[in-house]
Amino acid sequence: AGSSLALRYLTMGDIDGAADAFVSDTAWGHFELDIADAYRAIIEASAAKEIKRIRVRKASVKDEPNFGAKWVKTRSASLVKEITKDQRKSLRAVIVANYAEDKRPKFIVDQIKQRVGLLQAQQDAVDKRYQLHIDAGMTESRAQNLADNYADEQLDYRARRIAITETVKAEARGKKESWLFLQDNGELPANAMQEWIASDDACDECQALDGVQVGLDEDFGDGIEVPGDTHPFCTCICTVV
């Protein structure tokens, strides 16, 4: 649906309309629902595991039917917004560049299909790779095939980055929700704290947080609530103390 609408906009010379056609596709709405379900499942599993580890009396996340619901709703919508914002910028750059070379609308749509999901920096890297092949004397067809393969690698990397980072965030959020749940039930003291434990290969930012303790409902400063808020692929953890 998005590609056919984009083709129509391109035929009319509407660059912004073409870019919006892809990022406004109904698939993004489905993605938000799917990612919300994934967040919810991870949070509930993480919370149940943490409750089992530290509980004083029997407690279950099922006692709290909306466990983590506010965070799930907010984060899933935020992730989709972040992705679509990056996507719109990247796709617009593809369209503008191809228009400058007087490419046909159908060709531009095919190019966009190959690049959906790439950040602007990744898109620039793919274009640079294509030009290097051309400068080396390759045919346009061969250069394009190699550039498309490189684009696929970049897409796989971005997908892996999102999956790992968001899983870490959801698991950490599940632990945080479990602590608050147990605290509300009187199974953790009112003055219980959470402590940041940096991983062995932690970056400078995370190393600076190592050993820092804050309240269960507080963040670690600068909006950092859980590991993963600092940077992608974060493997730090937090524990209750």
Side-chain angles (χ1 to χ4, degrees), residues 36-139:
D37 288 341
Y39 281 141
R40 193 173 297 109
I42 294 171
I43 284 177
E44 290 180 355
S46 176
K49 182 178 180 180
E50 185 70 359
I51 286 174
K52 183 178 180 180
R53 186 182 72 83
I54 65 175
R55 68 187 176 188
V56 177
R57 64 177 178 78
K58 187 175 181 180
S60 170
V61 294
K62 292 182 179 179
D63 295 338
E64 183 62 56
N66 293 320
F67 204 79
K70 182 178 180 180
W71 185 88
V72 168
K73 182 177 181 180
T74 301
R75 182 55 196 161
S76 56
S78 176
L79 179 61
V80 171
K81 185 177 180 180
E82 290 171 14
I83 292 175
T84 53
K85 180 180 179 181
D86 290 335
Q87 191 66 87
R88 183 177 286 107
K89 180 179 179 181
S90 179
L91 294 182
R92 193 181 191 285
V94 173
I95 296 170
V96 170
N98 279 280
Y99 252 90
E101 297 178 13
D102 200 27
K103 300 292 187 181
R104 294 174 62 83
K106 178 66 167 60
F107 176 86
I108 299 175
V109 169
D110 289 340
Q111 287 287 297
I112 290 175
K113 287 180 179 179
Q114 293 289 336
R115 311 298 169 82
V116 169
L118 292 179
L119 294 170
Q120 183 62 57
Q122 292 174 313
Q123 175 62 57
D124 292 342
V126 170
D127 291 340
K128 183 177 181 179
R129 182 67 63 95
Y130 170 80
Q131 191 58 51
L132 286 173
H133 292 322
I134 291 295
D135 294 342
M138 286 188 185
T139 63

